[in-house]
C-alpha cells in the first residue's frame, strides 16, 4: 500500500464514524454476511443468526437516531458512504485488516476476544484469501443503508404535511394592543415590533398598550406563520325578567272608599308642623331640633266628624327638596301653608312646582293671620304669578285663613280638605297582594332596619313577604305613628314595618310576593339589572377615555413626527424630568387640600338631603371634597377606622356615639362632629373646608413716606444711593418690609439696610419726621416723588367660596 493510501484510510474510517457508525457496524459493512466464515486458527466462529440480527438492528437504531434531517443531507450521506466503500474496495485485504485491528483494539475486539484466536496474523492471512467477497459485502451494506435512508426520508414528509394541516390558530380581536397580541402569539413583545419593521407603521410611537389596526394584526400573524381567527364577542344568555310588578287595575266593583293622604308643604318656619300639632293635639314641633322639621312624618288624624286623614308633614328647609318631591308623589291633596306676614318664598314656589308635577290639587292655608302685619290678600295676589288662583279671583283653589298658634279656623281647613277628597272619590282595593311606598327608613339599635310606609293597595299583615328596591322583608312587627303595635294596615294608612333584611331607600315601591324564594329571585334580578346598567356606563366612560387617549396620541405623533430620533428622545427625557415625584413636604401640602368625609344620619332621607347639598359643592379648585362613606345609623368603630385611614372627618346628623367609640376616635386623632340641625352641620362643614385650604397672605400698612431728595454716600469704594424722606402717615419700622411705589406701580420690594434721622441710626421714625434710608438692592434708583411704604405680612385663614344656597 502506498503512502497516499495509508494516509487516506484513517480519514475514511473517521468519515465512517461521522456517519454515527461504531466498530461493530464498520465490521458488518466490510465483512457482511461472510464474517462468520472468517475463522481464526484458534477456533471457529459459529454462525449466530441472532447476533447478526442484533448488529443489523443496532445499525437501524443508530441511523434512525439522526432525526429531523432533510432529504438532501441523507442523499449526501449515502453518496459519501458509497464513495468510502469503493475506496475501501481498492485496498488490499491485509491493509484493511491491519487498520481494523488497530481501530478495534480499544473496545469491540476486547468484547469479542473469546471468539478469536491469539494468532491474529493467521486470521488476517486467511481473510486476505477471499478478496472476491468484497463486492458482495459492499452491495449488501449499501442495500441495507438505502432501505434505512428511504424509510427515514418518508417520515419528515409526513410530518410536514401534518404540520401544514395543524397550523396554530391565533384568536385576535379589533382594538388589540401590542401586549395582547404578543400574549396571544405566545411570544415576547419584541417579536411583534420586529414583525412590524419595514412597514408603514411608526415603530417609535408604538407603545405596549397601543392599539393595532386590523391590517397590522394580520401582518404580524402572517409573519408568525400562524392562522388568524377573529374572536366573537360572547353574548350573554338573555335572562328572563324575574322582577315583581304592580297588579293590573282592579275591578271598580271591588273598590272601597279610603281616607285621603294629605301632604303639608310650604316654606320653612311658616307654621306647618304647628298647624299639624293643633290638628293632632300633640307637640311634634317641640320635639324638632331648632324648631324646624327635618324628617318626613306620617300621621293619621281623626277629625271630630269621625273622618280620618293621613297627613304627611314634609320639611320646608331648602335642604329637603327630595323629601318634598317624594311627599307630593304619594299624596292625594297638598295643603300649601303660606305665612300671611311673609308671603311667597323660595320653598313655597318649589312646593307649588312639586304639586303640579304630581298633578295633585292644592288647598291654600294662609297661616299667622292673627298677627297685626298679616296681609292675606297680598299672599293671594302673589300666588297668581305661579298659576295658583284662589276662588276669590275666579279660580278653583280653596283659601282658608288660619292661625296655627291659636287654632282659629282649623276645622274649616279640615272640612275643605275632606270636601275636596269627596269630590276626588278616593277608592282602593283592600284585597290581594300589598302595594305601597317607603316614606322614610332608618336603623333602630334594638329592632334593626325600620321603614315608615303608606299602604296604597291590599291589606298588610304580619308574616307578609315584601320587596322594596334591593331589599326584602318578612314582616315581624307593625306599629302606628304612636308606637302602638297593630295587626293589619289598610290602604291610606301609615305604618312602621320591622323585619327588613337590608335598609330600603326612601321612595322605594313596596310589593308583596308569595314566598321568600320569590323575594330573593326579585332582588337578584334587580341587582343584575343594576350591574348591567353600571357596565353600560363603564363602557361609555372607557370609550370616552379611549378616544381621549387616541387624540392625545395623535397630537404626540404630530409633535414628534418630524423630529430626528435623537432630538425626540431628548425632548421626551425633559418631559419625564418635569414629571418628578412629589417631595414629602409637597405631598403633605397637596393632601391638605382634600377633605375626606364620612356622613352618618338617623334616617335615609336625612342622609339623602346632606348628599344633595354636597352635590352643589363647586369649589374643588380651593379644596377637594371626597366622600369616603355614608350610611344610616349610629357612628361605629368601622367609621372611625375609615376616618383614620383617609385622614377624614365624621359628620353625624341626629345620631349617637358611645363613650367607647369617642375614646377610640380621640386616641386615633379622628374628629367626630355631631349636629341636630342641618344648616349647623353645613356651616361646620364650610369651616372644616376653610381650615384645609392654604393660608392667604395679607399686607397690613404700617406707614408711608414720600421721597423729597436723592443723593449718594460713599462707603469704602462703593457709592450707595440714599433717599431723603418725610413720613406722611403712620411710622416706618426698620425691621419690617418695604416697597417702593412709582406712579402707582411697585418697582421694588425688600428691606432697608439703614434708617437714619440726621446722623443717628434709628429703628422707628414717626409721622412728620425726616429721615434718610437706603435699600438692600443698590441698583434701584430713587426719584423725587416716589413713595416708600412700610408694611407687614400676616397669614390669614382662607374662607371657602362655596354657597350651599341657604
Amino acid at each position: 500500500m502506498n503512502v497516499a493510501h495509508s494516509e487516506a484510510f484513517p480519514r475514511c474510517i473517521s468519515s465512517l464514524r461521522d456517519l454515527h457508525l461504531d466498530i461493530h457496524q464498520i465490521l458488518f459493512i466490510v465483512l457482511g454476511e461472510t464474517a462468520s466464515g472468517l475463522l481464526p486458527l484458534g477456533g471457529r466462529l459459529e454462525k449466530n443468526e441472532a447476533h447478526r440480527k442484533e448488529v443489523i438492528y443496532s445499525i437501524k437504531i443508530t441511523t434512525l437516531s439522526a432525526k429531523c434531517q432533510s432529504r438532501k443531507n441523507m442523499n449526501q450521506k449515502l453518496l459519501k458512504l458509497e464513495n468510502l466503500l469503493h475506496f475501501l474496495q481498492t485496498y488490499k485485504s491485509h491493509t484493511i485488516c491491519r487498520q481494523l485491528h488497530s481501530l478495534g483494539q480499544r473496545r469491540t475486539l476486547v468484547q469479542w476476544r473469546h471468539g478469536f484466536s491469539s494468532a491474529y496474523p493467521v486470521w488476517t492471512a486467511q481473510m486476505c484469501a477471499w478478496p472476491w467477497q468484497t463486492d458482495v459485502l459492499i452491495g449488501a451494506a449499501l442495500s441495507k443503508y438505502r432501505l434505512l435512508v428511504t424509510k427515514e426520508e418518508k417520515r419528515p414528509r409526513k410530518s410536514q404535511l401534518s404540520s401544514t394541516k395543524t397550523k396554530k390558530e391565533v384568536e385576535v380581536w379589533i382594538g388589540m394592543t401590542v401586549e395582547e397580541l404578543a400574549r396571544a402569539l405566545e411570544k415576547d413583545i419584541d417579536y411583534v415590533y420586529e414583525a412590524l419593521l419595514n412597514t408603514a407603521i411608526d415603530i417609535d410611537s408604538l407603545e405596549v398598550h397601543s392599539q393595532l389596526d386590523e391590517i397590522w394584526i394580520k401582518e404580524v400573524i402572517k409573519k408568525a406563520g400562524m392562522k388568524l381567527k377573529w374572536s366573537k364577542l360572547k353574548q350573554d344568555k338573555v335572562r328572563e325578567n324575574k322582577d315583581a310588578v304592580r297588579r293590573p287595575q282592579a275591578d271598580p266593583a271591588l273598590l272601597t272608599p279610603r281616607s285621603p293622604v294629605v301632604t303639608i308643604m310650604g316654606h320653612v318656619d311658616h307654621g306647618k308642623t304647628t298647624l299639624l300639632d293643633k290638628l293632632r293635639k300633640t307637640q311634634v314641633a317641640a320635639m324638632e331640633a331648632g324648631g324646624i322639621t327635618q324628617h318626613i312624618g306620617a300621621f293619621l288624624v281623626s277629625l271630630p266628624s269621625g273622618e280620618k286623614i293621613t297627613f304627611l308633614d314634609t320639611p320646608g328647609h331648602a335642604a329637603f327638596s327630595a323629601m318634598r318631591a317624594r311627599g307630593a308623589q304619594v299624596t292625594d291633596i297638598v295643603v300649601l301653608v303660606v305665612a300671611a306676614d311673609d308671603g311667597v318664598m323660595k320653598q313655597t314656589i318649589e312646593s307649588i312646582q312639586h304639586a303640579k308635577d304630581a298633578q295633585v290639587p292644592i288647598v291654600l292655608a294662609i297661616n299667622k293671620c292673627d298677627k297685626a302685619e298679616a296681609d292675606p290678600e297680598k299672599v293671594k295676589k302673589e300666588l297668581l304669578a305661579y298659576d295658583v288662583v284662589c276662588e276669590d279671583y275666579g279660580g278653583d283653589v280653596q283659601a282658608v285663613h288660619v292661625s296655627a298658634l291659636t287654632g282659629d279656623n282649623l276645622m274649616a281647613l279640615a272640612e275643605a280638605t275632606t270636601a275636596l277628597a269627596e269630590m276626588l272619590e278616593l277608592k282602593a282595593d283592600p284585597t290581594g297582594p300589598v302595594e305601597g311606598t317607603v316614606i322614610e327608613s332608618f336603623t333602630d339599635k334594638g329592632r334593626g332596619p325600620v321603614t315608615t310606609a303608606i299602604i296604597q293597595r291590599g291589606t298588610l299583615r304580619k308574616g307578609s313577604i315584601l320587596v322594596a328596591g334591593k331589599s326584602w322583608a318578612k314582616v315581624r312587627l307593625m306599629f302606628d305613628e304612636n308606637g302602638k303595635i297593630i295587626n293589619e294596615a289598610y290602604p291610606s294608612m301609615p305604618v312602621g314595618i320591622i323585619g327588613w333584611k337590608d335598609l330600603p331607600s326612601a321612595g322605594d315601591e313596596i310589593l308583596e310576593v308569595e314566598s321568600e324564594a320569590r323575594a330573593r329571585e326579585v332582588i337578584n334580578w334587580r341587582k343584575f339589572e343594576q350591574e348591567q346598567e353600571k357596565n353600560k356606563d363603564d363602557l361609555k366612560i372607557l370609550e370616552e377615555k379611549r378616544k381621549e387617549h387616541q387624540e392625545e396620541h395623535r397630537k404626540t405623533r404630530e409633535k414628534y413626527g418630524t423630529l430626528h430620533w435623537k432630538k425626540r428622545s431628548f425632548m421626551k427625557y425633559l418631559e419625564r424630568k418635569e414629571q418628578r415625584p412629589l417631595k414629602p413636604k409637597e405631598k403633605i401640602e397637596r393632601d391638605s387640600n382634600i377633605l375626606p368625609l364620612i356622613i352618618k344620619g338617623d334616617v335615609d332621607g336625612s342622609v339623602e338631603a346632606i348628599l344633595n347639598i354636597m352635590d352643589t359643592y363647586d369649589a374643588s379648585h380651593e379644596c377637594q371634597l371626597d366622600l369616603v362613606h355614608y350610611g344610616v345609623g349610629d357612628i361605629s368603630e368601622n367609621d372611625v377606622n375609615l376616618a383614620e385611614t383617609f385622614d377624614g372627618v365624621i359628620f353625624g346628623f341626629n345620631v349617637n356615639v358611645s363613650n367607647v367609640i369617642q375614646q377610640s376616635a380621640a386616641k386615633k386623632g379622628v374628629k367626630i362632629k355631631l349636629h341636630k340641625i342641618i344648616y349647623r352641620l353645613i356651616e361646620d362643614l364650610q369651616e372644616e373646608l376653610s381650615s384645609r385650604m392654604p393660608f392667604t397672605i395679607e399686607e397690613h400698612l404700617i406707614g408711608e413716606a414720600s421721597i423729597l431728595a436723592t443723593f449718594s454716600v460713599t462707603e469704602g469704594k462703593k457709592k450707595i444711593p440714599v433717599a431723603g424722606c418725610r413720613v406722611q402717615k403712620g411710622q416706618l419700622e426698620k425691621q419690617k418690609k418695604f416697597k417702593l411705589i412709582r406712579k402707582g406701580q411697585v418697582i421694588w420690594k425688600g428691606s432697608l439696610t439703614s434708617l437714619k434721622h440726621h446722623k443717628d441710626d434709628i429703628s422707628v421714625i414717626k409721622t412728620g419726621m425726616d429721615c434718610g434710608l437706603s435699600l438692600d438692592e443698590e441698583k434701584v434708583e430713587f426719584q423725587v416723588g416716589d413713595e416708600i411704604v412700610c408694611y407687614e405680612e400676616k397669614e390669614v385663614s382662607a374662607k371657602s367660596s362655596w354657597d350651599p344656597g341657604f
Side-chain angles (χ1 to χ4, degrees):
M1 183 174 65
N2 55 27
V3 177
H5 286 173
S6 63
E7 292 176 353
F9 187 78
R11 292 198 300 269
C12 298
I13 296 300
S14 177
S15 298
L16 284 172
R17 288 192 130 186
D18 290 342
L19 296 175
H20 306 287
L21 303 178
D22 59 10
I23 191 63
H24 301 78
Q25 298 155 349
I26 295 172
L27 285 173
F28 180 80
I29 291 171
V30 176
L31 302 179
E33 296 177 356
T34 60
S36 59
L38 302 176
L39 299 175
L41 290 176
R44 183 176 181 83
L45 181 64
E46 296 181 355
K47 294 182 179 181
N48 192 337
E49 185 66 21
H51 180 68
R52 188 179 67 82
K53 289 181 178 180
E54 183 180 350
V55 174
I56 295 173
Y57 177 74
S58 177
I59 295 174
K60 291 180 180 180
I61 292 300
T62 306
T63 309
L64 292 175
S65 64
K67 296 179 179 179
C68 303
Q69 299 200 11
S70 64
R71 181 186 182 92
K72 182 178 178 181
N73 291 339
M74 287 297 180
N75 290 335
Q76 287 176 351
K77 285 190 174 185
L78 183 59
L79 183 61
K80 188 173 182 180
L81 181 60
E82 289 179 353
N83 293 335
L84 290 171
L85 292 174
H86 283 296
F87 179 76
L88 288 171
Q89 188 179 4
T90 61
Y91 292 145
K92 293 181 181 181
S93 300
H94 67 278
T95 308
I96 296 173
C97 292
R98 187 180 299 116
Q99 296 294 337
L100 290 177
H101 170 68
S102 61
L103 183 65
Q105 259 184 341
R106 289 189 302 274
R107 184 183 62 177
T108 309
L109 293 182
V110 172
Q111 297 174 0
W112 288 5
R113 189 166 292 168
H114 65 277
F116 291 92
S117 172
S118 60
Y120 210 83
V122 178
W123 173 64
T124 306
Q126 192 174 7
M127 182 179 174
C128 297
W130 298 298
W132 55 269
Q133 293 177 354
T134 309
D135 292 333
V136 180
L137 297 176
I138 292 173
L142 287 177
S143 64
K144 288 178 171 52
Y145 196 75
R146 283 195 185 94
L147 179 62
L148 293 174
V149 170
T150 306
K151 288 180 179 178
E152 201 163 323
E153 284 175 354
K154 290 179 181 178
R155 292 181 182 176
R157 214 176 286 170
K158 290 179 182 178
S159 63
Q160 287 174 3
L161 290 173
S162 62
S163 64
T164 305
K165 291 179 182 177
T166 60
K167 187 182 286 188
K168 182 182 178 181
E169 283 187 345
V170 180
E171 190 173 1
V172 297
W173 56 90
I174 300 295
M176 205 174 191
T177 64
V178 174
E179 184 179 21
E180 290 170 342
L181 182 56
R183 196 182 302 120
L185 292 171
E186 297 180 357
K187 307 278 187 181
D188 56 9
I189 295 174
D190 291 336
Y191 181 87
V192 178
Y193 285 120
E194 291 172 5
L196 292 173
L197 286 173
N198 302 322
T199 59
I201 194 169
D202 185 7
I203 299 293
D204 293 335
S205 64
L206 205 60
E207 302 292 340
V208 175
H209 300 291
S210 300
Q211 292 185 342
L212 296 171
D213 294 335
E214 182 180 342
I215 183 174
W216 306 125
I217 294 174
K218 290 181 177 179
E219 182 70 20
V220 175
I221 300 295
K222 181 180 177 182
K223 289 187 177 181
M226 299 181 185
K227 190 176 179 181
L228 188 72
K229 180 184 177 183
W230 291 103
S231 67
K232 295 180 180 179
L233 294 175
K234 295 181 180 178
Q235 296 181 352
D236 293 333
K237 186 178 178 181
V238 179
R239 291 180 59 173
E240 183 182 354
N241 192 334
K242 298 290 186 180
D243 202 2
V245 294
R246 285 181 178 265
R247 291 180 286 156
Q249 292 293 331
D251 186 357
L254 300 175
L255 301 179
T256 59
R258 65 174 178 84
S259 303
V261 178
V262 179
T263 301
I264 299 179
M265 303 178 75
H267 191 70
V268 63
D269 202 28
H270 275 201
K272 299 183 300 300
T273 306
T274 307
L275 181 65
L276 185 60
D277 283 346
K278 287 295 181 181
L279 290 171
R280 297 180 64 225
K281 293 182 175 55
T282 56
Q283 294 295 320
V284 178
M287 298 167 61
E288 294 285 357
I292 63 170
T293 302
Q294 302 180 106
H295 304 92
I296 185 168
F299 311 99
L300 186 64
V301 176
S302 297
L303 300 178
S305 60
E307 295 176 344
K308 294 183 178 181
I309 301 176
T310 297
F311 282 99
L312 299 182
D313 184 19
T314 60
H317 196 272
F320 301 99
S321 175
M323 287 189 185
R324 287 189 290 275
R326 190 157 52 245
Q329 291 295 328
V330 299
T331 194
D332 300 313
I333 301 170
V334 168
V335 173
L336 182 63
V337 179
V338 185
D341 62 337
D342 206 7
V344 176
M345 303 297 288
K346 185 177 180 180
Q347 270 66 58
T348 308
I349 300 169
E350 185 189 272
S351 300
I352 294 170
Q353 190 60 48
H354 287 322
K356 288 183 177 180
D357 292 342
Q359 297 181 350
V360 177
I362 295 175
V363 174
L364 177 63
I366 303 177
N367 194 20
K368 302 184 181 181
C369 289
D370 55 318
K371 287 191 173 183
E373 59 272 21
D375 189 356
E377 294 302 318
K378 177 187 175 184
V379 173
K380 295 177 184 178
K381 291 177 182 178
E382 287 178 349
L383 289 172
L384 292 174
Y386 305 100
D387 294 331
V388 178
V389 184
C390 299
E391 291 177 341
D392 297 348
Y393 292 89
D396 58 354
V397 176
Q398 300 180 72
V400 183
H401 300 184
V402 299
S403 173
L405 191 64
T406 62
D408 293 343
N409 228 10
L410 290 185
M411 290 312 300
L413 177 62
E415 289 172 2
T417 304
T418 54
L420 182 57
E422 289 175 2
M423 293 175 60
L424 295 174
E425 295 183 351
L426 301 173
K427 294 182 178 181
D429 178 14
T431 63
V434 172
E435 297 176 7
T437 301
V438 177
I439 298 299
E440 195 57 272
S441 61
F442 57 95
T443 301
D444 187 89
K445 191 172 183 180
R447 298 181 293 182
V450 181
T451 62
T452 302
I454 294 289
I455 305 302
Q456 296 168 318
R457 189 176 181 182
T459 302
L460 182 62
R461 296 179 177 86
K462 184 178 179 180
S464 299
I465 308 298
L466 306 177
V467 293
K470 288 178 283 298
S471 179
W472 68 278
K474 183 175 182 180
V475 179
R476 291 192 288 112
L477 196 67
M478 296 185 295
F479 56 91
D480 61 11
E481 71 274 11
N482 297 317
K484 183 181 177 181
I485 296 175
I486 56 178
N487 297 320
E488 292 182 337
Y490 301 99
S492 298
M493 187 173 176
V495 60
I497 303 172
I498 298 175
W500 295 95
K501 305 301 177 184
D502 297 301
L503 193 67
S505 299
D508 284 346
E509 182 182 59
I510 296 176
L511 296 174
E512 184 180 1
V513 293
E514 56 272 17
S515 64
E516 294 184 17
R518 173 62 180 147
R520 293 190 187 95
E521 188 178 52
V522 172
I523 299 306
N524 289 336
W525 167 258
R526 292 179 178 180
K527 289 180 179 178
F528 170 75
E529 274 193 322
Q530 184 185 31
E531 185 179 352
Q532 293 298 104
E533 289 297 323
K534 183 178 181 299
N535 290 340
K536 288 180 182 178
D537 294 339
D538 291 345
L539 284 175
K540 288 180 182 178
I541 295 172
L542 288 173
E543 183 64 21
E544 291 175 359
K545 292 291 183 182
R546 188 182 69 84
K547 289 180 180 178
E548 290 177 5
H549 177 73
Q550 286 181 339
E551 182 64 22
E552 184 180 350
H553 178 63
R554 184 187 63 79
K555 290 179 180 179
T556 305
R557 289 186 63 181
E558 290 177 355
K559 181 179 179 181
Y560 297 118
T562 57
L563 299 177
H564 187 266
W565 68 271
K566 287 186 177 180
K567 191 172 183 181
R568 181 167 60 242
S569 300
F570 178 69
M571 291 183 68
K572 288 183 177 180
Y573 163 75
L574 293 178
E575 289 181 357
R576 287 194 301 270
K577 191 175 180 182
E578 290 176 0
Q579 298 173 354
R580 58 183 177 81
L582 293 175
K583 294 179 180 178
K585 185 178 179 181
E586 294 174 340
K587 188 176 181 182
I588 292 171
E589 290 177 356
R590 185 195 66 178
D591 292 343
S592 65
N593 289 340
I594 301 174
L595 175 59
L597 277 182
I598 295 173
I599 304 293
K600 296 300 287 287
D602 57 341
V603 296
D604 185 70
S606 300
V607 176
E608 179 188 29
I610 296 170
L611 296 182
N612 288 339
I613 295 171
M614 290 176 59
D615 286 340
T616 65
Y617 184 71
D618 56 358
S620 296
H621 59 284
E622 298 173 348
C623 182
Q624 186 177 344
L625 198 60
D626 185 15
L627 182 63
V628 176
H629 173 68
Y630 64 89
V632 175
D634 292 340
I635 296 170
S636 64
E637 184 68 29
N638 184 46
D639 299 325
V640 175
N641 292 335
L642 276 174
E644 181 191 17
T645 302
F646 290 93
D647 190 24
V649 180
I650 301 174
F651 281 85
F653 181 73
N654 275 337
V655 294
N656 299 319
V657 186
S658 65
N659 293 331
V660 176
I661 300 298
Q662 286 182 340
Q663 291 173 4
S664 175
K667 185 177 180 181
K668 296 176 180 178
V670 174
K671 292 181 183 178
I672 298 178
K673 301 193 173 187
L674 304 177
H675 295 276
K676 292 187 178 298
I677 302 175
I678 193 165
Y679 59 81
R680 298 291 186 201
L681 184 147
I682 301 303
E683 289 174 358
D684 198 355
L685 177 59
Q686 287 178 297
E687 292 177 3
E688 189 65 33
L689 283 166
S690 300
S691 69
R692 296 281 177 129
M693 293 169 58
F695 289 100
T696 57
I697 305 298
E698 289 187 359
E699 295 181 357
H700 289 267
L701 183 68
I702 297 177
E704 293 181 1
S706 58
I707 298 177
L708 303 178
T710 62
F711 52 92
S712 60
V713 295
T714 303
E715 289 185 1
K717 296 181 179 180
K718 292 183 179 181
K719 286 188 177 183
I720 299 174
V722 177
C725 307
R726 180 172 293 163
V727 180
Q728 304 292 342
K729 182 168 55 175
Q731 62 184 23
L732 303 185
E733 299 179 15
K734 184 179 179 182
Q735 302 301 324
K736 303 296 183 182
K737 292 187 176 182
F738 289 80
K739 56 184 174 181
L740 178 65
I741 300 175
R742 182 177 297 159
K743 296 180 180 180
Q745 294 184 350
V746 178
I747 62 174
W748 167 85
K749 278 187 176 183
S751 58
L752 302 182
T753 56
S754 66
L755 178 64
K756 294 187 177 184
H757 178 61
H758 299 304
K759 293 184 180 181
D760 300 326
D761 287 326
I762 55 175
S763 58
V764 177
I765 189 164
K766 297 183 178 180
T767 305
M769 297 178 64
D770 295 335
C771 65
L773 55 84
S774 59
L775 310 180
D776 59 358
E777 188 173 340
E778 299 176 0
K779 294 182 180 179
V780 177
E781 296 182 357
F782 298 110
Q783 292 184 8
V784 176
D786 290 350
E787 292 182 358
I788 294 289
V789 177
C790 177
Y791 67 96
E792 63 178 349
E793 292 181 346
K794 290 185 178 181
E795 288 186 347
V796 180
S797 299
K799 188 176 181 181
S800 176
S801 61
W802 174 41
D803 181 13
F806 55 85

